[in-house]
Structures are given as structure tokens and as C-alpha cells.
Amino acid sequence: MKKIIFSLICIMCSIQAVSAQKDTLSRDTIVFSKLLDGHKAQMEAVAFSSDGSWIASAGWDNEVRLHKLDSVSFGVFTRSFGGHRGAITTIAIQPGNKHLVSGSRDNTFNIYDLQSGKIVFTGRDHISAVTRVLFDPSRRYLMTSSLDKTIRIYDMDSLSNYRKKPVVMTYSRPINDFALSPAKFKFMVASDASVVEQVGMNGKSSRAFAGHTAKVNCLAVSNDMKWMATGSDDKMIRLWNPKTGLFVKELSGHTWKVTSLNFSSDGRYLVSTCNNGEVKIWNVETGLEVAELPSSGNNARQAVFAPNMKYIALATFQTGTLFGANLYKTPYAVYVKPVKGKGAPAKGGTNGKGSPAKSGSAGNTVKGSSTSTTGKGTTGKSNSGSNSATVNKSAAGSTKKK
């Protein structure tokens, strides 16, 4: 009997060893590329321009730094943007590269001319820290959220008219993060509750996404509106269908609080950051962890994919004496679906040679469910970039008729 038990143990150990070896071999390779240094303190935020030609970084030195990312001057520092009196928590570059926006713990946001670096407008309507700045897909409207429980919508065409007030959505709780919902004129809102809610301009919830057991710090919606990811103090990431409210799967692997989420431009991958410095990449369809970025700090604040998916930028609390955004090279490329009737697969994938990306099988526990969370919910940083949702122009104070 002892011999049989010993043999079974040996077989199990062999299987585990082979499985671990396969997992290691199948993981995607992420390589450190460049430190865009020059900051004087720890990092909080990073953002790419929509065409991938610029990258901005910001943090606790109250300054935004802009670097060029074209093939001629890759990573070359261009200019800095000042004016804040507190740490900068969120930044965004307007599609078309006309303006850059920064939101701060000093309760304000600044709109800069990207080319000159001059402040075009300073928003002082919020009465608590600004947590997210976001442009709608039309480029015309700027949305800002705050711990003061509001989302404010500004018409970029009317900034010179200082008497024109923003449209305000007032929520029931401090807002940690938000994104545009697939439903017109609605937002997905993360707060200090364990529930994410779909909220209208009247501040009322029309759908609840329940399942986390602690406050939700961040959320992201993919560009095609197929996925929504939510990250929490409970160490978990949950994937949802944002159109139906259905919970799809849980991504388990982080060992502390999840701090940011960002989908790749084609929606196939998700990058997540954690309060202990962990940065993980997940295959969205399988729910498996396929890579982890080399450690470069002890508190990862935000990671984002470049539009072409070839790079990931990271804002983290660096442990050395140099401060700035870290750039990592990925094996990915944007996957383009084959054109119907053509027969041949479209070019794209991880190697850019015509085949879809191959994702590793390594990863942590994935839990699935088909339980619906539709219905009016109780009260309960990202891929909060531009997507197919639209802002209600009349609600945003347009003279034309989110």
C-alpha cells in the first residue's frame, strides 16, 4: 500500500513539473525598453496620444512631461507642463493632439496647448481631488470625475466663455474611476463601494455590477464595448459584458489591491497594476495571465498599452533615484479581423506576420458565471479612453443639439 501511495505521489509531482515547465515556456516575453526620466518624484499617471506619437507622464512633482515617440526621436523629451500645487493623478491627450489635460489632488484640472505648453484653461469647479480626465470620441467634450461625487462635462469649443458652466452629474459616493457606457448618455462608475454602477446624467443607477467584496478602485471598457473590467481592494479583477450586465469571469493572481486596468486597442489583452508593484497581462478571452512585467517599483499606479500594442507604459513608485515612465516592449500587434469573402487571414497578432496572437497558458485561477446583475443596483485608475459611446451633446451644453 505504501509503495502504491508513493508511486501516485511521484506521478503527481511529475505532472506538476511538466505543467509548470509548459506554463513557463508559453508565457509571453515583455522586455524593458526605456526609462523616460526627468521627473523629481514618484509617478502616478501615463498616457499615449491616440496616434501613438506622444507619451505623457505625471506624478508627485506636480508636473507633466511630454516625450516624442516617432521613429526618428523615440523617447526624446519635448517639454514640461506646470501649474499644479498637488500631485497629478490623471492625464489625457486629446485625439488630434491639440490639447493635453491633467487632473490633480489640488482639486483642479489644467488644459494645455500641446505644442506651446501654455495653460489654456484651469478648471476649479471640483471641491475634492480629480480622479479621471477623459475625452469623448468626438474630441469636443472633456469629462472629469472627482472624489466630490461628480462627473463634469466641458465643451472644449466654449472654454473661452468662462461664464458657461459645465454639465454636472452628481453621484451618491466619491468617484474613483469612470468610463463611457455602451448605453447612450450613461457612465460606468467605480466608487468606494464594492458595486460598479451604470449611471445616467440624473445620477441614478440603471444597472449594478455586483461581486467584489471591497471597494472598486478602477474600471475599463474595451474599445469595441465587448468587455468591462473592474479592479478592487479585494485583489480581484472581474470581467463583465457591459451591454447585458452579465458577469463573465474572474481573474485571480494579484496579491494586493488592484490600482489600474487598461485594454489593448483590439480588446484581446488587459494590463493590470497592483499596490505592491505587480503588473500583469491577461488574455481576455481565456482569462489566463500570459505575462508579468519585470519589477521596477513597489507601488504600480497605472499601466497603458500603446495604440499599436507594441509598448506598455508604466507609472510606478520607483525604488531608485531616477523617476519617470517606464516603457516595455511587447510581442503584440493589433489584430485585424479577416475581411469576409477574402479567405486569407488578416495580418496582425503577436508577431505581426499574419497569424493571431498566441497567448500562453500560464496563469492563475479563472472563475466563470452566467449570473446576471441587471436591474437597478444599490449604491455602491484605465481603459477609460475613447470608445464607440457618445456624449449627449445637448446635456453637455452644446449650442448644436454624453
Side-chain angles (χ1 to χ4, degrees):
M1 185 67 179
K2 289 182 179 180
K3 290 183 178 180
I4 294 174
I5 294 175
F6 179 76
S7 298
L8 289 173
I9 293 174
C10 290
I11 292 171
M12 291 176 65
C13 289
S14 299
I15 292 172
Q16 289 176 352
V18 171
S19 176
Q21 184 180 20
K22 287 182 178 179
D23 286 349
T24 301
L25 292 173
S26 62
R27 288 177 70 86
D28 297 336
T29 302
I30 308 297
V31 180
F32 176 78
S33 174
K34 192 177 185 67
L35 170 64
L36 304 178
D37 62 347
H39 282 281
K40 303 177 185 67
Q42 304 287 9
M43 305 302 300
E44 277 282 340
V46 285
F48 287 100
S49 61
S50 59
D51 62 0
S53 62
W54 299 97
I55 180 173
S57 57
W60 285 82
D61 59 0
N62 312 343
E63 181 178 83
V64 181
R65 291 176 65 85
L66 185 69
H67 290 77
K68 191 67 175 172
L69 285 183
D70 59 28
S71 57
V72 177
S73 51
F74 185 84
V76 174
F77 171 71
T78 304
R79 65 183 54 86
S80 61
F81 305 80
H84 283 294
R85 296 185 177 182
I88 297 171
T89 53
T90 174
I91 51 178
I93 298 174
Q94 184 182 27
N97 301 338
K98 185 177 181 180
H99 296 108
L100 181 149
V101 182
S102 59
S104 171
R105 288 175 176 262
D106 65 10
N107 306 348
T108 72
F109 67 89
N110 285 334
I111 300 177
Y112 304 91
D113 181 282
L114 189 73
Q115 300 303 320
S116 68
K118 294 181 179 179
I119 296 177
V120 176
F121 180 81
T122 297
R124 296 186 174 88
D125 298 310
H126 287 296
I127 58 174
S128 191
V130 178
T131 55
R132 173 70 66 192
V133 293
L134 172 66
F135 285 100
D136 86 308
S138 75
R139 310 178 185 183
R140 178 170 178 177
Y141 297 101
L142 170 68
M143 296 160 283
T144 64
S145 65
S146 169
L147 296 179
D148 66 8
K149 307 179 184 179
T150 67
I151 293 175
R152 297 173 183 267
I153 304 174
Y154 296 82
D155 186 345
M156 294 291 290
D157 291 346
S158 303
L159 291 177
S160 59
N161 183 358
Y162 294 99
R163 293 174 296 177
K164 192 167 186 177
K165 298 295 183 181
V167 173
V168 182
M169 188 282 284
T170 301
Y171 188 54
S172 58
R173 293 175 178 270
I175 298 172
N176 293 331
D177 201 359
F178 80 98
L180 290 173
S181 167
K184 289 185 177 180
F185 320 141
K186 296 183 186 295
F187 302 101
M188 299 298 195
V189 177
S191 70
D192 59 357
S194 61
V195 177
V196 169
E197 293 186 306
Q198 179 177 272
V199 181
M201 288 302 301
N202 59 4
K204 295 182 179 180
S205 172
S206 57
R207 174 171 287 149
F209 299 80
H212 286 292
T213 58
K215 76 171 183 176
V216 180
N217 300 310
C218 52
L219 59 80
V221 177
S222 61
N223 287 337
D224 60 5
M225 294 287 181
K226 182 180 178 181
W227 302 98
M228 180 174 74
T230 57
S232 168
D233 274 5
D234 64 10
K235 309 174 187 177
M236 297 298 176
I237 299 167
R238 294 173 70 85
L239 292 179
W240 314 80
N241 182 325
K243 297 179 180 179
T244 65
L246 292 175
F247 168 62
V248 182
K249 56 175 71 87
E250 186 174 79
L251 310 184
S252 173
H254 279 299
T255 56
W256 208 15
K257 304 171 184 178
V258 181
T259 53
S260 82
L261 297 165
N262 180 254
F263 283 100
S264 61
S265 56
D266 62 6
R268 292 184 301 130
Y269 295 97
L270 178 75
V271 60
S272 60
T273 59
C274 180
N275 244 3
N276 62 1
E278 294 172 343
V279 184
K280 296 180 181 291
I281 300 174
W282 312 81
N283 180 302
V284 176
E285 287 289 346
T286 65
L288 297 176
E289 178 193 329
V290 295
E292 183 168 354
L293 271 63
S295 178
S296 61
N298 54 23
N299 187 351
R301 306 303 299 159
Q302 185 180 23
V304 294
F305 280 100
N308 63 8
M309 294 172 53
K310 292 182 179 179
Y311 291 92
I312 290 174
L314 171 65
T316 188
F317 281 18
Q318 279 113 335
T319 55
T321 58
L322 297 177
F323 304 102
N326 288 327
L327 275 180
Y328 296 85
K329 188 76 171 66
T330 80
Y332 310 130
V334 178
Y335 177 65
V336 181
K337 292 182 179 179
V339 178
K340 290 183 178 180
K342 296 296 183 180
K347 290 185 178 182
T350 60
N351 54 20
K353 296 181 180 179
S355 59
K358 294 181 179 179
S359 298
S361 61
N364 297 288
T365 305
V366 180
K367 299 177 182 179
S369 171
S370 59
T371 304
S372 174
T373 56
T374 57
K376 188 172 181 179
T378 57
T379 55
K381 171 183 198 195
S382 138
N383 196 58
S384 297
S386 297
N387 47 38
S388 59
T390 56
V391 171
N392 183 344
K393 294 183 180 181
S394 60
S398 171
T399 54
K400 294 180 178 179
K401 288 256 173 193
K402 142 176 196 343

